[in-house]
Amino acid sequence: MITTLAINNYRSLHDIIIPMGPLNLVTGANGAGKSNLYKALRLLAETARGGVISSLANEGGLSTTFWAGPREISDRMKRGEVNIEGTPADSSKRLRLGFASEAFSYAVALGITPPVPYPSAFNLDPEIKRESIWQGPRHRPASALVERIDHVVKVKRSRQWEVISKHQPMFESMFTQVADPQQCPEVLSLKTFINNWRFYDHFRTDSQAPARQPQLGTRTTVLHHDGRDLAAAIQTIIEIGAEEALYDAIDDAFPGASVSVSISNDGHFTLQFKQRGLLRPLSAKELSDGTLRYLLWVAALLTPRPPSLMVINEPETSLHPDLLPALGRLIKTAANSTQVWVVSHAKPLISSLECDTRCNSIYLEKTLSETTIAGQDLLTTPSWHWPS
Ligand SMILES: Nc1ncnc2c1ncn2[C@@H]1O[C@H](COP(=O)(O)OP(=O)(O)OP(=O)(O)O)[C@@H](O)[C@H]1O
Ligand SMILES: [Mg+2]
């Protein structure tokens, strides 16, 4: 389980350190930074998958994702006695992302490439300047296990540092190059842990949505992020997963309704949804947006292969408020077997999650354009130290 998440210099997340529990609920007003947090978590996941540089390019480039304010906001600036102004130090920026977990902890720092002394079309690519893996909540020289500084990766063995690579490409994380289970079990273990994180964000439910189309079905323990394999995922839960929980979740939201899967001769799966009062079940094409979306959440959350972290962004979209307590119960069931991160601003869902004693409620607010956690002070901020 992740115990602390730390982000520095990413959009409105100038410097934020978040304690995490089994069930994390992120709320806050429009523009408070909820989606920025979600995107920062995705970037962390992309680092282990080798896609952080292209993800940053898709966001408009690293320089646009940097915190646009000054490095330090003095008390006099805060009181409005002097203008908010930067210093020359603001020009050398790093985007830093990290987390501490019960096993290993990790941090990465990205910066802008100085122009290379030979012609290259990739002069604007960001570089991975620093990566670090350590044990325990706080990075210290004594707890460090793997350090990457620019091109060099070194591993600590019996209190001695051993250089295992001097040619780590600056555009790639050490996760993509160094994954030898003998030489670096920590890198492999963390890579597997991060690769296992699962993200769900706004399922499509329009008439052409992938979830509405019949699909060739194979055993599907993990619902695709666009929901295209919904029928196969539901059938997999029925055959090898939490079948009872599935029927309960559907009955909870739509009393008397049930779900099944029909299979054509050529192996195409179609979802069938039986509602009270109708003579035949409806197929996925005929369901309302909200019903389909709820079924997608059921399939995602009752996965027979729970991930190490499930991140779900605004699951309330297009669901009627009456359905949200049932969705909340579903999320709480999922939190029994996976760490959950929910971003929401729907009151009924928030109330449903907050009445669970495991719920770690993170209310984001903005102070001088910087995202902060309401009520957080020195005592409630987890211990965190960026690798120097
Ligand atoms: N480079 C940047 N530096 C500082 N702040 C930024 C930067 N880029 C975006 N922002 C701020 O981030 C905010 C957007 O945050 P975000 O999209 O996470 O909000 P949200 O909480 O998801 O809001 P909503 O509920 O409307 O979706 C904007 O208000 C903008 O001011
Ligand atoms: Mg948002």
Side-chain angles (χ1 to χ4, degrees):
M1 189 173 92
I2 300 178
T3 49
T4 305
L5 175 68
I7 297 147
N8 177 236
N9 247 335
Y10 180 70
R11 300 193 182 274
S12 59
L13 310 171
H14 176 211
D15 200 8
I16 194 161
I17 300 167
I18 304 170
M20 285 182 62
L23 172 58
N24 304 279
L25 169 66
V26 181
T27 56
N30 292 125
K34 304 180 294 297
S35 298
N36 287 344
L37 254 183
Y38 175 84
K39 286 190 258 180
L41 260 173
R42 280 207 81 127
L43 279 180
L44 251 176
E46 285 300 331
T47 308
R49 292 168 194 173
V52 68
I53 304 290
S54 58
S55 296
L56 283 167
N58 288 338
E59 287 196 34
L62 177 60
S63 53
T64 66
T65 64
F66 283 140
W67 157 245
R71 186 178 287 194
E72 297 285 349
I73 302 182
S74 66
D75 288 341
R76 292 188 68 206
M77 288 181 192
K78 284 181 188 157
R79 288 195 297 268
E81 292 166 15
V82 290
N83 289 339
I84 295 184
E85 280 174 359
T87 63
D90 292 326
S91 58
S92 66
K93 287 186 174 173
R94 292 280 183 275
L95 161 60
R96 295 191 284 189
L97 308 163
F99 66 86
S101 83
E102 286 165 331
F104 300 119
S105 306
Y106 172 73
V108 59
L110 294 115
I112 302 288
T113 323
V116 288
Y118 51 84
S120 170
F122 303 109
N123 268 342
L124 293 176
D125 277 12
E127 286 189 335
I128 298 180
K129 305 279 189 189
R130 187 85 167 83
E131 286 177 284
S132 193
I133 296 175
W134 67 95
Q135 202 149 30
R138 193 179 156 97
H139 182 273
R140 287 174 291 116
S143 63
L145 296 170
V146 185
E147 297 283 12
R148 177 247 176 104
I149 301 174
D150 295 331
H151 294 286
V152 178
V153 183
K154 53 185 186 172
V155 182
K156 200 190 272 168
R157 295 274 162 260
S158 324
R159 298 194 188 166
Q160 295 290 320
W161 285 105
E162 180 190 338
V163 173
I164 56 160
S165 172
K166 288 184 177 170
H167 308 288
Q168 177 66 39
M170 297 292 280
F171 56 86
E172 275 182 333
S173 154
M174 62 182 180
F175 288 121
T176 53
Q177 297 274 323
V178 183
D180 183 335
Q182 304 293 325
Q183 209 173 23
C184 285
E186 307 86 355
V187 177
L188 190 63
S189 160
L190 256 183
K191 182 179 174 170
T192 312
F193 176 69
I194 303 175
N195 270 336
N196 195 250
W197 297 358
R198 218 170 282 163
F199 294 81
Y200 288 108
D201 185 13
H202 298 137
F203 288 119
R204 263 180 66 191
T205 51
D206 56 278
S207 61
Q208 298 306 315
R212 293 194 187 273
Q213 318 306 324
Q215 283 277 334
L216 270 181
T218 54
R219 283 191 183 81
T220 302
T221 51
V222 179
L223 180 73
H224 191 273
H225 63 82
D226 70 8
R228 67 181 62 177
D229 43 14
L230 172 64
I234 294 277
Q235 184 63 28
T236 309
I237 295 171
I238 292 171
E239 289 191 19
I240 63 163
E243 185 185 5
E244 283 304 313
L246 172 84
Y247 295 135
D248 289 349
I250 288 162
D251 193 61
D252 193 10
F254 310 103
S258 64
V259 73
S260 62
V261 174
S262 73
I263 303 162
S264 68
N265 290 338
D266 60 356
H268 280 78
F269 284 38
T270 306
L271 198 71
Q272 304 283 325
F273 187 71
K274 202 158 188 296
Q275 277 169 277
R276 278 166 72 187
L278 295 185
L279 296 175
R280 66 166 179 87
L282 300 181
S283 74
K285 272 196 184 306
E286 300 167 293
L287 296 179
S288 77
D289 289 1
T291 308
L292 182 63
R293 193 159 270 142
Y294 184 80
L295 295 179
L296 283 157
W297 285 119
V298 171
L301 289 162
L302 295 181
T303 168
R305 294 277 178 278
S308 44
L309 175 70
M310 171 97 77
V311 185
I312 54 184
N313 199 23
E314 298 180 8
E316 64 267 19
T317 311
S318 104
L319 291 184
H320 188 273
D322 288 353
L323 277 186
L324 296 181
L327 179 66
R329 286 188 279 277
L330 200 53
I331 293 172
K332 287 185 274 191
T333 306
N336 294 334
S337 46
T338 184
Q339 187 171 21
V340 182
W341 175 276
V342 190
V343 179
S344 174
H345 39 54
K347 283 225 165 66
L349 181 61
I350 293 170
S351 320
S352 164
L353 296 177
E354 278 184 335
C355 64
D356 189 302
T357 52
R358 298 168 300 174
C359 183
N360 171 36
S361 217
I362 302 156
Y363 186 80
L364 299 181
E365 51 190 20
K366 266 199 178 160
T367 315
L368 286 176
S369 298
E370 177 179 346
T371 298
T372 53
I373 301 176
Q376 190 177 51
D377 55 23
L378 275 178
L379 285 177
T380 51
T381 305
S383 169
W384 181 264
H385 183 74
W386 291 106
S388 58

